[in-house]
Every structure is written in structure tokens, then in C-alpha cells.
Amino acid sequence: MEYRKTLNLPRTSFPMKANLPQREAQILNFWERKKVYQRIREERKGHPKYILHDGPPYANGNIHMGQALNKVLKDVVVKYKTMQGFDSPYIPGWDCHGLPVEHQLFKKLGINKNEISRLEFRKKAREYALHFVKEQRNQFKRLGVFGRWENPYLTLSPSYEGEVIGAFGKLAQRQYIYRGLKPIRWCFRCQTALAEAEIEYKEKESPSIYVKFPVKDSLSLTSSRLPVYLLIWTTTPWTLPANLAVAIHPHHLYALVQLDKEILILAKDRLARLKEEIGIKPARVVSVHEGEKLRGLRYKHPFINRESEVLTANYVSLDEGTGCVHTAPGHGDEDYVLGLEHNLPVLSPVDGEGKFTSQAGDLKGIQVFEANSLIIEKLKQKGYLLHHEKVVHSYPHCWRCGSALIYRATPQWFLVVDKHNLREKAIKAVKNEVDWIPPVSKMRMGSMLRERPDWCLSRQRYWGVGIPAVHCQGCGEAIIDEEIIGKIKNLTSKYGSDCWFEEPVEHILPPGYRCPRCGGEKFKKEEDIIDVWFESGVSHQAVLVQEETLGDPSDLYLEGSDQHRGWFQTSLLTSMALKGRPPYRGVLTHGFVVDSEGRKMSKSLGNVVDPQEIVSTRGADVLRLWASLEDYTQDIRISEEILKYTVEVYRRVRNTCRFLLGNLYDFDYLRDTLPPEELQDIDRWLLSRLQKLIKKVTASFEKFKFHEAVHLLHLFATNELSSFYFDVLKDRLYTFPPDSKGRKSAQTILWHLLISLTKLMAPILSFTSEEVWGYMRKMEEGASGEGYSPLEESVLLSSWPQVDNNLLNENLETIWKKVLKVREGVLKKLEEARGAEIIRSSLEARVTIIAPFSELSSLKDLGDRLKEVFIISEVQLQEGEELEIRVSRAEGRKCERCWNYSLYVGSDKEYPTLCQRCRKAIEEFTG
RNA sequence: GGGCUCAUAGCUCAACCGGUUAGAGCGCUGUCCUGAUAAGGCAGAGGUUCCUGGUUCAAGUCCAGGUGAGCCCA
């Protein structure tokens, strides 16, 4: 007889090979068809809310690994909270305005700003942004991310834009907004401001000059009667008319160096190089002073009737120049910031064409680069030029027209960070009102807030929301008026931000409007747009408040660590200023995706990993698992090796599910479940272990430590299930009569396991858990024969497994811990016996355990079960001094059906190849 | 250059307040099974805890410096 057919071997159509790319498509389809996300919303209505507010990714290009990671982490949080019973709607958003779209589009069109009208361009930009919103939406959905995808929030939607203007207006009303000068990169050929991304560095030849600035009260430094000069170095002589300070390093040493008939002040450490490079011949070093000591020293401008003084700054470097840095707040970033600190005016006597204005005196009308030689000549005549040569250096150029750029100060709109103690309040809120994960974020946020300058809100761009200000044509006054802003807000909310640029100014102004300063009647609209960071920064107003399913403040913002300066901060500042509290109760940050060496991804390094490729070759669940496998508080590595490992973990989980499904084919949960007291010891033990797993995994999810949860699940599947419990169970599952108590006891556990594990992994392995869930439902329908399953239609509609304290059994766990310890020793001895060719399969073995009485008792209690636990054919227990394990060949013959060795085999005439146990089973089977 | 941070087996992670011989899983090697089978079991080999110095009876853990890397700013 073919006894194999009398066994209850696993049966399932759940495939071992996942073939995720194809299968996931079907599951996505299932979710869509069954409207699972919508049904979650309906079923959670009225439950406590958990709001994760989506930081809008930029609608430009396909999604990259970082965005994929970010969205998956968000999805894991939302799904977990949902299964925990929260009403956790997720409304994804996109950042649609701004430079990257504008820049990319200009590139694509092959034109510049002057070759297209603003409105025409904006129309194209809109299409461009919306195109990528659509693309990215599909890519995110493909990752299995649940959310209100059909109606996301877009920063270019009229209602959002209206809120942006409203927020700007309110801040202005509360005097947070002012107008000031700030140097920006300027292309005088294109007559436009340029952003960092639009700058190309190219070699350029510039003059390199060393200039002497006469010191006024040199007596404080030296008793010498010789004239004393600060020696500065610059490659932009044309910025000298705007010189308002000399910066030196506070902690470096500066030398007074006597030349022929003069004394120069320069950094001591530069002296040797300068002797070499420009050939100065010092007679002697008069004295040496710490930079700090020279602070406040006054000097005369070399050709303008003006006095300024020496300031100290940490950015002063001794790598080049003289250590005395010519400072023109209107012509450089560092200069500007230093100037702000010392209340220097932002002098910038240069117009949009790059020509000097009347502020530059007799240089008026001369183009700045052409003025270089005139200025050098002037310095020479006055005797202030120490040295002059030419250098070739890397210099910023316009990406479009290729001309050299200049720094030029222009009027900009700012948000004052110190108004009404905003900065202090924000820092306090960071400290006391927000939960930062990981905790170091708190410090980082705090120190960034402490240091940040006022927020420049204006951009000289096309693609964004116009700043709702008007300028009086008569006196040039820039006006922000509550009434005007109210009107713009309404118009914009209805028609979108184009209306600001479309409508003539008269339509916007209230009838008979006059300039509050000069009474003028003619106005023009502000042309600048609002910084996109301001747009996304007010999403708490435009989204959290406006969307009735959400709420303000939110529970969590979850973004990459770059958002400490970005969204976390802009959102915090605007919320503090508008509402006096943060927009979030918690902030979670993750690191950046880097390669196997920990280096960032870049095209030039050739180490870029594409999420879409992972999805199409290995599946979204693999990507989701990868995102959950690593500790995201640090940088997250990805490589072929790591992906292979991820697939291995996935395989283990999948096969565990398959084994469970395969052994439950004839199990009807409602009919066959045994109550705990009727379960076998080992089964109750496993149930206790499962409760602990649920407890630990839940705790990990609560702490957002997904990698911990994954490790726990993987470890459980490997150590407790695959290598022990399942292995032991096989004999009972396969060889016991189908409806025997022993087998049903095992199956009861398997069912518990399957349902719990499937749920525990659902937030992460959403596709696979849904797939498993579907098989479970089908099984249930089949078993009950009623086409009805007690299981929810989707695992994501089900609830998180609860720990059943009644199933926890410390006593059992202690006993089994001992048994497992002994098992370890047995396995080692079995391996030795295998090596000595005494046995091959462990069932060929007979094991004798000699141990002290105290150790022996728990083993004895197991009785016949003990050999099952060791998967051997015979076990003998003996009392002895200390633990000893002996292995020999089992007696008797191998049962053809269960493969156990027994003396009974051969004794039965009817079933000569069976053991006693199988004989009974067979009778049940045939009878 | 400044702010914040990281570095533990080939990989992913552990190691409470400083306290025995730094632990797991995967991978690797060997091996068994062929009734989870493009599965599964067992055993074994892998570590100068990035480097240098210091504090301490004792350092992966604390301190200083260096190297490499990341985010942000300049």
C-alpha cells in the first residue's frame, strides 16, 4: 500500500515563488475594486484621530529612493495606526511651484525669461507640474501606499494659493513682514536674478589686487610715525566703492609689518606667502596682535570720503589673501550677514544693467567690469595699490547666456524672526511641546532656530504666488494693505494665482485708492513671488485646517533630516506666528539613502538606485521591507547585497505563511478550534510565545522602530517556528488521523499564528499579507461551506492583534526553556553521530540522557512527547551526577509511514511495515 | 570653515547605569533530509568594536584628537 496517501501532507495553492511584480498588480486592483481605502475611512469614522500630515514632495521628475523610503515609512505608520483603531486619513500633497520646475521647463523649452510672457509660461509650468504629480502619484500608489490619491492637496490649487496669500496678509498685519535690501546673484545681460541651481562655474580671468586702506588712529597700535595700512585683497575691484568694513578673524594673529616707509597690517601666517607671491619686502615686524584686539580700528576708504571700521568674523580664512577681508554688504552673502549684525547699510550702487549708479559718484554709468581698470588706476594714482596681477579662477556664470554674474543688492520682502519674540517662542515650543524622534532632532532644531537670519520671502521668478503688494508710482512706497490682500485672497481662491498677474492694478485696488505716504494715485503691482518654502510652510493652514477630515495641530510630520531647515522649520515659524503653537505634536526624521559605502547617490558616482526598478524586478513589498529593515534614524544603505538579504528575509516570511496555509487546508476555525485547556503543552507554550511576540512587536511599532519589529518577526519565524516548532509538529500534522485531537491542537495554534503574523506584517508587507489573507478567507469559505468568512474583506480592514494575557504562561516557558537547552545538547551529539556515520536522519537515533534528578523531572513529565521534541525514535532518561547525552542507533525497524524506528514494525501481520501508532491511524483512515 | 550626526562580523541589527569570553539572524563552509522541496533541519568558521591618545580597578560604552561618511549652512 502506498502509505504516503494516508498522510495529511500540506496542501495549498499559495505559491512559494512570489512573483511579486505581477501579483502586486492584482492586489492593487483588488484594493481599488473593493475601495478598501474608502471603506477604512467609513469604518473608522468617529474613532480617535491620528493625523500624519504629508510633507509635499516636489512635483518634478520621477520619484527617487528617498521619496520612496519616506512614503513607505509614512504608509507603515498610517496603516499601523489604522489597525490600532485610529481614524488616520492620509492626504498626500505636492509642492508644485518654484524654481526646479521653472528651471527645468526653461531648459526644456530652450528659451529664457525674456522670450515668453509670464502668463504663457505659467500655463506651461502648471501643465508641467501636473504631469509629474500624475506620474509620481502612480509611482507612489504602486508602492502600496494608501491615501486619498484621487484628491491630493496641491500647492497650485486656487484654494491653497488663497490660503498662502491669507497667511502672508495676516503676518503682514502683525508686522512680521518688512522690506529690505539683500544681495543676490544677478545676470545683467538677462536682467534677472539667478538661483544657485542656475549658476554655472567657469574659469574667468580677473584682476587680483592688494589694496592699502589707511588706518586712522594708528597710535593705539604703534608709536611709529609711519603711516599704517590695512592690507586687503580682492578680485572684484568694482565692489570697492561699496566697501563698508574690513573683516578679520578674531583668534588669528595679525602682524604690523614695516616696509620701506609704511606699516601694513595683515595676518601673520600670510606673510611668508605674500613675500613669495607679491614680493613685499618687510624690514621688520613691529608687533603682533590677536585679531580681537584690532576690532573697532577705524580706516579711511581709499578713494571715497568715508570712514569704516574693522570687524571680526569667524569665516575669515587664511588660505588666501591677507587675512583682512574687504567687506561690501551689498555685494556678498557673508558680507551681508556681517553687515546685518553691525547695522551696516546694504550699499550697492549698481543698477540692473550692471552699471554704477550716482551713488558711486564719478563712476556713474560705467559697467562694473569695465570699471575695474579705472578703479585700479585710481588706486595706483593715490598710492594705495600695493600689487596688481591677473588670476584665473572659478567664477559664477549665468547658465543661460554664459555671462559673468555679480552680486547686487535689491529690495526683498522679509519675515522678521525676532518680532514679538517669535524666535524665542519657537525655540521654547521645540523644547517643550513637540516629541522629536529621534531625540537629537530637538537640539538640531533649536540650534538652527537660534542662528537663522530673517527669512527672505521674495523671489524674482515667474512660477509661484505673487506677493500681494503694490508700489506707488509717485514715491515708490511699497504697500501691503489689508483690504487689498483680502480682495486678492478671494480672487485667488476662486481663479488661482494667475489673476494677480492678469488683472490690471486698478481692478485690484479699492476705488479711489491713494498712496498713504504721498497721496499718489498711480500704482504698479509687485512682480516678485513668494518663496515656495512659505507655501509649503503654511500647509498647516491650507490643509490641516481646511480639510475637515484632518485637524490642526497634526500628530506627526515625518520627513528626511534635511527638513530641519526646510519644512519642519518653515511650518513651525508660520504656525507660531499665526497660531502661537507648533503645527505638530511629533516630528519623526529619517536619514538619507546612501550606497553600500555610505556615500550619497549621485549620477557621477554611478551608484543611483531606482525605486521603480526595484518594484518592477523584485516587487514593492521588497522595497517596503527594505525601508523597514534598517534603522532609519541614521543614513540608510542600499546595495545589491542588501536587497538580496531583503529578499531572503521576505522568502522566510513567505514560506512560513505557506507552511501555515498548507497545514490548515482542512481546518475550520469555528468548528475545529480547541480551547486552551485541551491543547498540548508545547502548543500552549507556543501560544504564550506568540503573545510575547505580539507584545514586543507592538511596542516596536509604538516607538516607530520598524526595524526592530521586522527583526523580531524574522527571528520568531526562524528560531521558534521553522527550526523548532514546525519541525516538531510535522509528525503530528502529517501522521496523526486528520481529526485527532493532537492534530487539531496543532492546527488551532497554526491558525492563531497565521492570523496574528499576517496582521503584524500587514503595515509593512501589505501586498503579501493581503495575499495570505485572501487565501485564509477562501479557506474559511470552503471549510464552512457557506461562502462566508468571519475575516474582514481586507487585512487592512482588520484590527491589530491583541495580547491575550490568559494565554501567557510563564511556568510553561520556564519548563520549555530547560527542554530547549537540553535539545541543543542533543542536536550537537546527533551531529557528532552523523559525522561518525552512526546515523543519518535524526529518526535513526536513540538518545540517552543522564542528568541529576532535578533536571530530569521536567523531561520526564513530557513522557512520550520528548522524543517528538528531539525528532528521534527513542529516548531514555537516567539519573546521574551530571548531564550527559549519548547517541546510538534506534532499535527496531523504520516504519514505512512515519519513518520512526520501532520494535513493533514487522510484528503485525496485517501491516508488517507499520509501527503501532500508524497502524491505528491507518485503521481510522480506512475505516 | 560652522551647526547636528554616524562608524560593532561580508550584510542587517543587539549589547540597561562603564563590569565576565562583544551577541543574534542572514550570508558563507560542511552536512543531513527529500513528506514546507527553486523548500526545511543541524553543525562550524567569521570581530584589533574606524585609528591614536587619555580617564578608570575596568572602555564597544566616557573624554580629546584624527580618518571616513551624511544632512544643513557659509
Side-chain angles (χ1 to χ4, degrees):
Chain A
M1 182 170 178
E2 176 86 62
Y3 290 119
R4 195 174 192 276
K5 286 183 183 147
T6 70
L7 295 169
N8 321 297
L9 295 178
R11 283 180 221 168
T12 179
S13 52
F14 183 81
M16 182 179 288
K17 194 168 180 319
N19 200 3
L20 285 175
Q22 279 75 35
R23 201 170 312 276
E24 285 173 349
Q26 296 163 16
I27 293 164
L28 283 167
N29 198 284
F30 167 81
W31 286 332
E32 193 98 355
R33 224 174 47 238
K34 299 286 182 184
K35 298 190 179 349
V36 172
Y37 180 73
Q38 287 87 329
R39 284 184 41 201
I40 291 171
R41 292 284 65 77
E42 281 157 30
E43 290 190 13
R44 290 293 185 272
K45 215 167 254 171
H47 289 226
K49 294 225 175 229
Y50 187 88
I51 309 293
L52 189 160
H53 180 35
D54 190 34
Y58 203 78
N60 192 10
N62 295 323
I63 64 169
H64 58 249
M65 228 36 235
Q67 290 169 320
L69 169 76
N70 176 258
K71 275 288 194 286
V72 167
L73 293 177
K74 284 171 176 165
D75 191 49
V76 172
V77 171
V78 168
K79 281 179 177 154
Y80 168 70
K81 290 290 179 183
T82 298
M83 289 178 78
Q84 276 288 10
F86 288 95
D87 180 16
S88 186
Y90 179 62
I91 302 183
W94 271 276
D95 207 351
C96 304
H97 289 136
L99 181 82
V101 161
E102 186 170 328
H103 183 54
Q104 200 97 310
L105 185 56
F106 270 127
K107 246 185 183 165
K108 196 180 142 204
L109 296 172
I111 54 172
N112 72 21
K113 235 172 143 179
N114 306 322
E115 294 168 296
I116 189 168
S117 81
R118 189 190 277 258
L119 284 164
E120 207 182 321
F121 181 82
R122 286 172 59 93
K123 220 176 129 192
K124 287 184 190 295
R126 186 186 169 80
E127 283 166 18
Y128 188 86
L130 288 177
H131 165 75
F132 281 112
V133 166
K134 214 173 127 195
E135 291 290 312
Q136 292 192 355
R137 176 170 62 190
N138 291 336
Q139 291 160 12
F140 286 139
K141 278 173 84 171
R142 179 61 188 82
L143 296 177
V145 178
F146 276 18
R148 202 182 76 184
W149 294 108
E150 69 286 357
N151 185 16
Y153 79 83
L154 304 177
T155 59
L156 59 61
S157 72
S159 60
Y160 196 108
E161 292 174 328
E163 290 299 325
V164 170
I165 290 171
F168 183 88
K170 241 186 209 143
L171 290 170
Q173 194 191 323
R174 296 182 190 174
Q175 326 221 291
Y176 281 106
I177 311 287
Y178 73 95
R179 199 157 158 78
L181 288 170
K182 183 178 193 278
I184 51 170
R185 305 274 198 175
W186 186 265
C187 173
F188 48 75
R189 185 142 154 227
C190 299
Q191 296 255 350
T192 183
L194 287 161
E196 199 56 47
E198 296 172 315
I199 291 167
E200 277 175 9
Y201 285 84
K202 290 196 294 194
E203 298 286 286
K204 176 183 183 294
E205 187 187 82
S206 297
S208 165
I209 59 171
Y210 290 82
V211 184
K212 300 183 288 186
F213 285 5
V215 170
K216 248 196 106 208
D217 298 309
S218 60
L219 286 175
S220 62
L221 292 170
T222 171
S223 51
S224 166
R225 286 298 160 114
L226 292 173
V228 179
Y229 299 100
L230 287 157
L231 185 66
I232 67 98
W233 169 72
T234 182
T235 56
T236 52
W238 65 269
T239 61
L240 284 173
N243 174 282
L244 292 176
V246 167
I248 61 171
H249 198 283
H251 307 311
H252 287 146
L253 293 177
Y254 285 80
L256 268 69
V257 178
Q258 186 178 333
L259 267 56
D260 213 4
K261 283 186 184 122
E262 58 193 4
I263 293 173
L264 300 180
I265 301 176
L266 57 122
K268 185 171 162 275
D269 290 348
R270 292 300 301 165
L271 184 57
R273 295 299 302 270
L274 289 177
K275 276 196 238 173
E276 227 172 86
E277 282 168 19
I278 65 173
I280 58 169
K281 296 187 183 65
R284 66 185 182 109
V285 170
V286 180
S287 56
V288 173
H289 307 264
E290 200 186 3
E292 192 65 47
K293 294 269 162 56
L294 301 178
R295 188 165 53 164
L297 191 67
R298 299 192 66 81
Y299 68 90
K300 280 174 28 186
H301 193 282
F303 55 84
I304 290 170
N305 186 17
R306 185 165 65 214
E307 270 183 31
S308 306
E309 62 181 44
V310 171
L311 306 174
T312 53
N314 285 319
Y315 61 76
V316 171
S317 131
L318 297 188
D319 295 338
E320 53 182 10
T322 64
C324 300
V325 178
H326 150 56
T327 298
H331 294 306
D333 271 337
E334 287 175 331
D335 308 41
Y336 168 73
V337 173
L338 188 66
L340 280 186
E341 280 167 24
H342 296 89
N343 289 315
L344 299 180
V346 185
L347 177 60
S348 180
V350 177
D351 68 13
E353 290 175 50
K355 291 176 179 163
F356 279 111
T357 64
S358 55
Q359 269 187 303
D362 56 1
L363 290 166
K364 187 189 171 193
I366 297 170
Q367 207 277 330
V368 292
F369 289 132
E370 282 159 20
N372 275 344
S373 54
L374 293 175
I375 289 166
I376 291 168
E377 190 53 36
K378 193 184 285 200
L379 290 168
K380 200 188 251 170
Q381 273 170 22
K382 299 213 169 207
Y384 292 138
L385 186 70
L386 182 76
H387 183 78
H388 170 210
E389 60 184 24
K390 304 229 183 239
V391 290
V392 175
H393 59 162
S394 168
Y395 191 87
H397 291 74
C398 174
W399 69 286
R400 205 60 252 167
C401 75
S403 34
L405 302 177
I406 59 170
Y407 260 112
R408 172 175 171 257
T410 56
Q412 306 285 342
W413 294 97
F414 290 88
L415 186 144
V416 213
V417 180
D418 288 306
K419 193 82 192 176
H420 307 314
N421 272 331
L422 176 57
R423 189 193 303 273
E424 283 315 308
K425 284 184 205 156
I427 290 169
K428 227 176 183 172
V430 162
K431 213 172 144 199
N432 302 325
E433 294 173 41
V434 181
D435 187 18
W436 298 92
I437 308 158
V440 280
S441 284
K442 179 183 281 195
M443 253 233 286
R444 190 164 178 188
M445 236 1 231
S447 68
M448 278 182 171
L449 280 168
R450 217 162 285 123
E451 283 163 26
R452 72 153 300 147
D454 283 350
W455 181 359
C456 179
L457 291 175
S458 44
R459 293 292 183 278
Q460 294 69 53
R461 316 292 321 184
Y462 273 4
W463 183 226
V465 175
I467 290 177
V470 291
H471 299 266
C472 171
Q473 299 254 44
C475 67
E477 178 80 347
I479 302 157
I480 290 186
D481 179 282
E482 213 176 309
E483 195 184 344
I484 298 174
I485 288 187
K487 203 168 163 189
I488 309 289
K489 184 189 171 202
N490 289 337
L491 282 172
T492 303
S493 299
K494 248 187 230 163
Y495 306 109
S497 58
D498 274 354
C499 69
W500 171 254
F501 303 103
E502 269 166 353
E503 291 296 313
V505 67
E506 304 80 59
H507 290 188
I508 291 165
L509 297 175
Y513 188 79
R514 282 171 171 262
C515 171
R517 185 161 147 216
C518 74
E521 294 173 7
K522 291 220 153 188
F523 299 91
K524 65 175 196 211
K525 292 176 291 184
E526 169 68 59
E527 299 224 324
D528 289 0
I529 59 167
I530 301 178
D531 178 16
V532 282
W533 282 110
F534 184 84
E535 291 190 31
S536 59
V538 297
S539 67
H540 52 82
Q541 182 58 33
V543 180
L544 288 177
V545 172
Q546 302 303 318
E547 291 284 354
E548 59 182 310
T549 56
L550 301 181
D552 182 33
S554 65
D555 290 287
L556 193 69
Y557 278 31
L558 191 168
E559 307 295 332
S561 60
D562 53 335
Q563 299 305 329
H564 285 98
R565 178 148 300 259
W567 196 52
F568 297 154
Q569 197 180 127
T570 57
S571 299
L572 179 68
L573 285 173
T574 55
S575 184
M576 292 303 298
L578 291 168
K579 305 165 184 177
R581 52 149 181 83
Y584 36 67
R585 296 191 190 96
V587 173
L588 189 156
T589 32
H590 56 81
F592 272 62
V593 182
V594 294
D595 71 7
S596 55
E597 318 278 297
R599 281 173 320 205
K600 67 171 155 197
M601 295 190 173
S602 76
K603 277 184 195 154
S604 57
L605 280 173
N607 58 356
V608 178
V609 177
D610 177 14
Q612 308 217 67
E613 200 191 311
I614 296 176
V615 169
S616 65
T617 56
R618 303 177 205 254
D621 260 4
V622 170
L623 191 150
R624 296 177 66 96
L625 187 57
W626 162 81
S628 315
L629 206 57
E630 298 190 44
D631 178 3
Y632 58 72
T633 57
Q634 253 56 70
D635 286 339
I636 307 109
R637 296 181 184 219
I638 193 163
S639 65
E640 194 53 32
E641 190 182 4
I642 292 169
L643 283 171
K644 273 187 185 148
Y645 167 63
T646 311
V647 171
E648 284 303 312
V649 175
Y650 175 81
R651 224 169 34 88
R652 169 67 78 181
V653 172
R654 186 176 180 87
N655 275 323
T656 301
C657 293
R658 185 167 185 268
F659 181 83
L660 289 164
L661 283 168
N663 283 296
L664 285 164
Y665 64 91
D666 62 340
F667 184 77
D668 183 331
Y669 171 69
L670 296 173
R671 190 194 61 205
D672 296 330
T673 306
L674 291 184
E677 62 274 14
E678 289 182 36
L679 297 171
Q680 292 202 0
D681 265 15
I682 187 172
D683 297 340
R684 278 169 40 227
W685 167 80
L686 200 273
L687 221 39
S688 181
R689 298 296 300 158
L690 176 63
Q691 302 315 304
K692 286 221 172 130
L693 176 76
I694 294 171
K695 212 177 203 170
K696 283 191 272 184
V697 169
T698 306
S700 297
F701 269 98
E702 282 297 321
K703 288 180 285 181
F704 304 104
K705 291 191 167 185
F706 309 136
H707 74 283
E708 218 172 74
V710 172
H711 277 273
L712 285 166
L713 284 165
H714 185 219
L715 227 55
F716 186 76
T718 302
N719 286 355
E720 322 236 356
L721 297 183
S722 201
S723 66
F724 176 58
Y725 186 66
F726 286 175
D727 222 24
V728 170
L729 227 51
K730 283 174 195 166
D731 182 68
R732 203 179 342 148
L733 285 168
Y734 300 167
T735 69
F736 277 37
D739 289 322
S740 61
K741 252 199 169 160
R743 186 156 177 274
K744 289 302 169 200
S745 173
Q747 284 182 313
T748 299
I749 305 309
L750 296 189
W751 178 262
H752 272 287
L753 270 173
L754 185 55
I755 201 159
S756 301
L757 294 179
T758 307
K759 287 177 170 190
L760 290 178
M761 69 190 202
I764 293 165
L765 293 170
S766 300
F767 289 98
T768 302
S769 56
E770 192 70 284
E771 187 187 354
V772 173
W773 195 260
Y775 276 85
M776 290 172 75
R777 276 173 56 83
K778 234 189 276 166
M779 227 158 55
E780 276 304 292
E781 287 165 0
S784 65
E786 290 160 18
Y788 166 79
S789 169
L791 300 179
E792 293 81 356
E793 198 156 9
S794 160
V795 68
L796 295 159
L797 280 160
S798 76
S799 56
W800 195 252
Q802 298 297 309
V803 177
D804 184 343
N805 283 318
N806 295 323
L807 298 180
L808 279 170
N809 193 329
E810 288 303 333
N811 200 19
L812 262 184
E813 291 206 31
T814 318
I815 292 169
W816 279 87
K817 206 169 180 179
K818 282 187 200 158
V819 176
L820 280 167
K821 191 86 197 152
V822 176
R823 190 182 98 111
E824 221 174 287
V826 170
L827 289 173
K828 240 170 223 158
K829 289 285 173 191
L830 286 175
E831 187 64 21
E832 278 173 26
R834 212 171 272 136
E837 293 183 14
I838 296 166
I839 57 157
R840 296 173 74 85
S841 157
S842 62
L843 282 173
E844 290 168 20
R846 174 174 103 147
V847 170
T848 309
I849 298 168
I850 305 155
F853 179 76
S854 57
E855 304 275 321
L856 229 45
S857 63
S858 51
L859 298 179
K860 264 189 181 147
D861 289 347
L862 281 171
D864 244 14
R865 294 284 129 71
L866 195 56
K867 67 185 177 76
E868 292 169 21
V869 168
F870 298 152
I871 318 183
I872 52 178
S873 286
E874 206 184 336
V875 66
Q876 285 193 322
L877 300 175
Q878 282 176 26
E879 216 179 306
E881 290 284 301
E882 54 187 60
L883 187 72
E884 195 193 332
I885 297 162
R886 291 187 199 141
V887 176
S888 58
R889 265 199 84 85
E891 295 173 301
R893 281 158 52 192
K894 180 180 177 183
C895 167
E896 194 190 337
R897 185 168 175 271
C898 73
W899 298 344
N900 279 275
Y901 281 69
S902 129
L903 287 168
Y904 183 86
V905 181
S907 67
D908 192 304
K909 283 194 182 115
E910 211 175 334
Y911 303 103
T913 59
L914 291 191
C915 68
Q916 195 167 16
R917 201 184 55 172
C918 283
R919 197 200 103 110
K920 269 177 83 185
I922 275 293
E923 279 176 343
E924 230 169 282
F925 185 80
T926 47

